[in-house]
Amino acid sequence: MASAAETSAGPQGQAEKPVVIVTVGMAGSGKTTFMQRLNAHLFQNQEPRYVVNLDPAVAKLPFQCNLDIRDSVNYKKVMEEHRLGPNGAIMTSLNLFTTKVDQVLNILEKRAVPDPENPSRKPVKTILVDTPGQIEVFVWSASGTILLDSLASSFPTVIAYIVDTTRACSTSTFMSNMLYACSILYKTKLPMVVVFNKTDIQDAGFAKEWMTDYEAFREALDGDENKNAFGGQDGGSGYMASLLNSMSLMLEEFYSHLKMVSVSSVKGTGIDDFLEAVREKVDEFNAVYQPELDRRRAEREEIKKKQREKELEKMMRDMSMGGLTAGAPEENKSDEEEQDEPAPADDDSDDDEDDENDREGLQARYAASLLGKDSVTEEASFAKYLHSQRNASQ
């Protein structure tokens, strides 16, 4: 079976890039167990992979990490020093780690290509990223956005949203998970695979049926309403059923673009189906998401260029005004002295042209120096650009 990275090969025989799989999910959905099973599956197939842990609060991981946030940030000390709660400490730890995102990308980019000093070490094909169980801390924070944008700017990136199948049996919890998946998809603007985990306990066939057949979901909704599963009184359950019914109609188009797989992290079933879905999403990333990322990057570069040109124009105007200010004492001359002065010679026009040429030449030299900086910036990674912008703002 072909690896997920084979579909991310660049045009004209360029070296293929590894695929980044970012796992997100609510606490208790089995996200860490899924990471362990996926890592073991890739190891068994002898596929080079690189594991990154972004959860600073985890006490012990059942798999080895190549890059661990806990090696850079001490979660407990952050909580004590800044007098923060658990979620605030996780967010602050991610913020601190994000300041090193350029170093992280440099490490990943080096592992994605052959090592001349160690030819026996194969380039990684898959990069696995584990995130905190507090999903909102990562997805909706500025640090999480920077990390995802930085990864997506360098490698094909796919979001794996893990769902606890045993808790999604009711229509209300199922709809809650789908709304969360929808919000994550449009927040990250990255391709997503919804993974219904723990299928060894509860089969996920009902979820696939609800996503593809509206009438089936409607029947299940009527069943929950008849059982008073929503716990409402005086028409409250009717309001909940009507709300869920409306949201299901709204998400019908969303389901058509969503890839869903069933996985048992304990038994290992469904992992091949997940990797197949990842390959499809890599093709989607290259065809749809990558052009959008390039367009957004080009817009940022255009805005940056206009800002530099505006600053250059302002600087040249200030220099011109500075030259006029230097000659300001001439304005203090009396009218009689001005009348006694001879008329300017015709050669002054030539002097004005020389001054104009000097000004244009000076402006050209400043513009050339700025262009030189732009060329260096273009060669650098997007993460370095973000890092420089952050330092400038500080």
Side-chain angles (χ1 to χ4, degrees), residues 368-383:
S369 63
L370 289 176
L371 288 176
K373 293 180 181 179
D374 285 342
S375 63
V376 175
T377 306
E378 291 175 356
E379 294 176 358
S381 65
F382 176 57

Side-chain angles (χ1 to χ4, degrees), residues 93-155:
S93 299
L94 284 172
N95 293 339
L96 294 173
F97 184 76
T98 305
T99 60
K100 303 180 180 181
V101 66
D102 55 337
Q103 301 177 24
V104 173
L105 284 183
N106 286 336
I107 294 174
L108 296 179
E109 289 171 355
K110 289 180 180 179
R111 290 294 286 111
V113 296
D115 186 4
E117 299 181 357
N118 188 7
S120 60
R121 189 179 69 179
K122 298 180 180 179
V124 297
K125 301 297 183 182
T126 308
I127 300 174
L128 305 177
V129 181
D130 193 16
T131 59
Q134 290 77 356
I135 187 172
E136 68 281 354
V137 173
F138 177 78
V139 175
W140 297 99
S141 64
S143 56
T145 301
I146 293 174
L147 288 169
L148 285 177
D149 288 347
S150 301
L151 290 172
S153 67
S154 301
F155 311 100

Side-chain angles (χ1 to χ4, degrees), residues 204-262:
F206 72 92
K208 185 176 183 179
E209 185 180 14
W210 289 354
M211 294 173 63
T212 56
D213 188 353
Y214 167 75
E215 294 300 330
F217 179 80
R218 178 62 189 174
E219 291 177 3
L221 188 61
D222 292 339
D224 287 346
E225 188 177 9
N226 294 332
K227 296 176 183 178
N228 198 24
F230 305 129
Q233 296 179 356
D234 298 332
S237 61
Y239 167 77
M240 179 62 71
S242 177
L243 177 63
L244 294 177
N245 182 44
S246 300
M247 288 190 295
S248 178
L249 286 173
M250 179 192 68
L251 294 178
E252 189 173 2
E253 181 66 20
F254 168 68
Y255 293 152
S256 62
H257 298 283
L258 197 64
K259 189 67 178 180
M260 171 261 185
V261 295
S262 303

Side-chain angles (χ1 to χ4, degrees), residues 17-137:
K17 295 182 179 181
V19 180
V20 179
I21 302 176
V22 182
T23 59
V24 297
M26 297 183 183
S29 60
K31 181 168 52 63
T32 301
T33 309
F34 173 77
M35 281 282 297
Q36 179 189 18
R37 173 60 64 179
L38 184 58
N39 182 38
H41 183 86
L42 296 175
F43 174 78
Q44 185 178 2
N45 293 339
Q46 297 182 351
E47 181 174 342
R49 73 262 177 238
Y50 202 85
V51 183
V52 180
N53 173 47
L54 295 180
D55 189 355
V58 63
K60 185 177 181 181
L61 287 173
F63 51 85
Q64 292 184 346
C65 290
N66 302 100
L67 190 60
D68 197 336
I69 187 176
R70 297 175 299 175
D71 296 334
S72 304
V73 183
N74 190 315
Y75 166 76
K76 292 184 178 180
K77 286 187 177 180
V78 170
M79 185 184 297
E80 294 174 358
E81 293 178 359
H82 299 277
R83 298 180 180 179
L84 298 172
N87 289 348
I90 292 175
M91 183 175 294
T92 303
S93 299
L94 284 172
N95 293 339
L96 294 173
F97 184 76
T98 305
T99 60
K100 303 180 180 181
V101 66
D102 55 337
Q103 301 177 24
V104 173
L105 284 183
N106 286 336
I107 294 174
L108 296 179
E109 289 171 355
K110 289 180 180 179
R111 290 294 286 111
V113 296
D115 186 4
E117 299 181 357
N118 188 7
S120 60
R121 189 179 69 179
K122 298 180 180 179
V124 297
K125 301 297 183 182
T126 308
I127 300 174
L128 305 177
V129 181
D130 193 16
T131 59
Q134 290 77 356
I135 187 172
E136 68 281 354
V137 173

Side-chain angles (χ1 to χ4, degrees), residues 92-372:
T92 303
S93 299
L94 284 172
N95 293 339
L96 294 173
F97 184 76
T98 305
T99 60
K100 303 180 180 181
V101 66
D102 55 337
Q103 301 177 24
V104 173
L105 284 183
N106 286 336
I107 294 174
L108 296 179
E109 289 171 355
K110 289 180 180 179
R111 290 294 286 111
V113 296
D115 186 4
E117 299 181 357
N118 188 7
S120 60
R121 189 179 69 179
K122 298 180 180 179
V124 297
K125 301 297 183 182
T126 308
I127 300 174
L128 305 177
V129 181
D130 193 16
T131 59
Q134 290 77 356
I135 187 172
E136 68 281 354
V137 173
F138 177 78
V139 175
W140 297 99
S141 64
S143 56
T145 301
I146 293 174
L147 288 169
L148 285 177
D149 288 347
S150 301
L151 290 172
S153 67
S154 301
F155 311 100
T157 305
V158 178
I159 302 293
Y161 179 64
I162 314 299
V163 179
D164 186 351
T165 309
T166 59
R167 296 182 181 179
C169 292
S170 67
T171 54
S172 57
T173 53
F174 171 80
M175 186 56 60
S176 298
N177 276 283
M178 292 300 100
L179 288 174
Y180 225 126
C182 181
S183 64
I184 294 173
L185 176 65
Y186 289 105
K187 176 65 172 64
T188 61
K189 296 181 176 61
L190 293 173
M192 174 186 291
V193 178
V194 177
V195 181
F196 280 86
N197 196 15
K198 303 182 183 181
T199 55
D200 54 309
I201 302 175
Q202 174 67 51
D203 184 73
F206 72 92
K208 185 176 183 179
E209 185 180 14
W210 289 354
M211 294 173 63
T212 56
D213 188 353
Y214 167 75
E215 294 300 330
F217 179 80
R218 178 62 189 174
E219 291 177 3
L221 188 61
D222 292 339
D224 287 346
E225 188 177 9
N226 294 332
K227 296 176 183 178
N228 198 24
F230 305 129
Q233 296 179 356
D234 298 332
S237 61
Y239 167 77
M240 179 62 71
S242 177
L243 177 63
L244 294 177
N245 182 44
S246 300
M247 288 190 295
S248 178
L249 286 173
M250 179 192 68
L251 294 178
E252 189 173 2
E253 181 66 20
F254 168 68
Y255 293 152
S256 62
H257 298 283
L258 197 64
K259 189 67 178 180
M260 171 261 185
V261 295
S262 303
V263 170
S264 172
S265 298
V266 174
K267 295 185 177 180
T269 58
I271 296 297
D272 288 330
D273 295 336
F274 169 75
L275 294 177
E276 180 65 26
V278 169
R279 284 190 288 273
E280 295 179 8
K281 290 302 177 180
V282 169
D283 293 336
E284 182 179 338
F285 178 90
N286 294 329
V288 179
Y289 289 85
Q290 187 62 55
E292 176 65 17
L293 291 174
D294 294 339
R295 184 188 64 80
R296 289 160 55 189
R297 187 183 301 112
E299 288 181 354
R300 286 191 293 267
E301 292 297 330
E302 184 65 22
I303 293 175
K304 183 180 178 182
K305 181 180 179 181
K306 290 181 179 180
Q307 290 177 346
R308 288 187 172 183
E309 291 177 352
K310 186 176 181 181
E311 293 175 358
L312 176 61
E313 182 181 355
K314 181 180 178 182
M315 180 181 63
M316 298 304 301
R317 185 169 58 252
D318 292 343
M319 293 178 62
S320 299
M321 293 182 65
L324 294 176
T325 304
E330 299 291 334
E331 299 178 358
N332 297 329
K333 292 183 179 181
S334 63
D335 296 340
E336 296 180 355
E337 292 176 347
E338 291 180 356
Q339 293 177 358
D340 294 338
E341 289 182 355
D346 295 338
D347 295 336
D348 290 351
S349 60
D350 297 334
D351 295 338
D352 293 339
E353 292 180 359
D354 295 338
D355 294 340
E356 186 67 20
N357 292 334
D358 293 339
R359 187 179 295 106
E360 291 179 356
L362 180 61
Q363 187 171 0
R365 288 195 293 273
Y366 275 104
S369 63
L370 289 176
L371 288 176

